[in-house]
Structures are given as C-alpha cells and as structure tokens.
Amino acid sequence: MLVAAAVCPCPPLLVPEVAAGAASEMDVARAACTDALGVLAAARPDRLVVLGPAEQDGRGAHPAGTPGSFRGFGVEVDVRLGEGAPRLPSERRLPPSLAVAAWLLERTAWSDAPIEGLGVGEPLAAERCIQVGRDLATRAERVALLVMGDASACRTLKAPGYFDERAAPFDAEVARALGTADVAAIKELDSELAYELKASGRAPWQVLAGAAENAQLTGTLLYEDAPYGVGYVVATWS
C-alpha cells in the first residue's frame, strides 16, 4: 500500500556541479526536495520506488546499485541508486531523471528502506500508467514513491520549447493537483497537450495516481516555479 510520495523535478541543473555558476538559482528547489525526502523517511516505508521519465534505452526496471552519471553534462559526477550490485548487465545505466533522484538520495544519505527504480516511457498511455501504479502499490506493505518529472518547458521565449500560452495554465493545474493529492485530476491530464508542452512528468505523475487510488493521502505543495522557462514542482503526499 502506498503510504507516502514525494514529487520532485528532474533537471540535471539540480546538481550544483552541472549548474556551475548558476548553482545558487536552484537552492530553493534543492531545499524543497530535501524536505520532500524527509516526508518519505518519516513514513517508514518498507520499500522506496523511484520513478522518472526515460527514453527507450532507460525504460524498465533499475534495481538497487544501478549506476548513473552526469559526465554527459561535462562534470565528473557519478551516482548509484541505493546500495547493492545490480542484477542487470553492467552496461545498464540510470536515465537522467533517475540519476538526479539518485543524487538527491545520496545527498540526504537515504537508508530508510530498500530502493528500486523504474524508468517510465513518456508516451505511455494514461491507462497503462495507472495500472503500473496500482501494481507498484502492492509491492510491499508500506510503499513510498519518489516521482521525478518536470512540468511544461514552454513558459518563456527562452525556454527549451519556446513560449506557449497554454503552458502556464497547464502548470498551474499540475501544481494544484499535485499539491492537493487530487488523484482524479492527475489521471485526467491531457497526454497530448503534455507532449506538446514537453512536460516530461505526465506519465510518472499518472503512475503515482494509480498507486494512490485507495491511499487517501493528503498533499502539500512545497515549491512551484519556472526559473528557466520550465515548470518545476515539489510536493508531498502523506
């Protein structure tokens, strides 16, 4: 059963070495993520499942010990998702979203429950996402989710997806739904609109919605902003 969830953004810029001279611009978001992980720890889960958007080569299971890296962003920072030796081929690596999650967990010295990762394909249909969530909720008596994903990437002219007037209303509804644990609203997010706005979190959020169907959790919004024209949301469900 799902007992807690934390929703965090997944830009590699959360890692100070990647952000370099602009690292301080994400200080508030980092602090909110740390607070969100504290809520997960306080729930005393038996298992933590980390979800994040992934391209084809990063989809599927990532067991404890799977390595990740930010070397592709020009910095020598390596991470590992929890402890242990992965049971997958040695060339298997975390997708960027889960590498950011691993960095956050290492930063807070997570040791409260065994970890596993799941890379979710961004095009995955809502119905499939919801069913995946339902299945995850049965993985242990007390399951916690760390859900990585960004809102729209079209909030300003300099945003990765350029400016789209639909982006701000979309992000506002996402922040409201995540901040109030509105399961029904998250299930109903428009996947086509999310794709057009380059909102990478849509599928992981809908996995969360499936897992939380019968959990009766309460949401708290810890952070919502778009410092680089990309919507970032931090929220907790407990």
Side-chain angles (χ1 to χ4, degrees), residues 140-228:
E141 185 174 343
R142 298 179 64 80
V143 175
L145 297 181
L146 173 53
V147 184
M148 310 298 292
D150 300 337
S152 76
C154 303
R155 291 279 290 272
T156 67
L157 293 176
K158 294 183 178 180
Y162 197 64
F163 175 73
D164 190 313
E165 62 184 7
R166 301 171 297 173
F170 176 88
D171 287 359
E173 172 58 12
V174 164
R176 186 206 64 79
L178 292 174
T180 59
D182 189 337
V183 171
I186 295 170
K187 286 181 177 180
E188 294 170 2
L189 287 175
D190 186 330
S191 59
E192 183 174 344
L193 177 60
Y195 175 79
E196 292 175 358
L197 296 177
K198 303 184 184 302
S200 68
R202 190 276 309 172
W205 298 332
Q206 290 184 323
V207 173
L208 166 62
E213 280 180 333
N214 301 310
Q216 297 183 333
L217 301 179
T218 299
T220 301
L221 183 65
L222 301 181
Y223 174 87
E224 191 276 323
D225 203 355
Y228 301 107

Side-chain angles (χ1 to χ4, degrees), residues 55-146:
E55 299 295 335
Q56 184 68 44
D57 60 353
R59 297 176 191 174
H62 297 271
T66 303
S69 173
F70 296 96
R71 293 174 183 265
F73 298 94
V75 297
E76 295 185 1
V77 177
D78 299 312
V79 293
R80 190 172 293 273
L81 187 65
E83 300 178 352
R87 299 182 302 277
L88 293 173
S90 59
E91 65 270 13
R92 182 74 159 171
R93 293 290 185 270
L94 296 172
S97 65
L98 297 190
V100 173
W103 180 83
L104 288 171
L105 291 165
E106 289 184 358
R107 182 171 180 258
T108 55
W110 176 273
S111 60
D112 297 270
I115 301 173
E116 61 182 278
L118 180 65
V120 182
E122 292 184 45
L124 194 65
E127 296 78 9
R128 291 279 307 280
C129 293
I130 291 165
Q131 186 56 55
V132 170
R134 291 169 179 156
D135 295 342
L136 289 178
T138 67
R139 297 292 292 272
E141 185 174 343
R142 298 179 64 80
V143 175
L145 297 181
L146 173 53

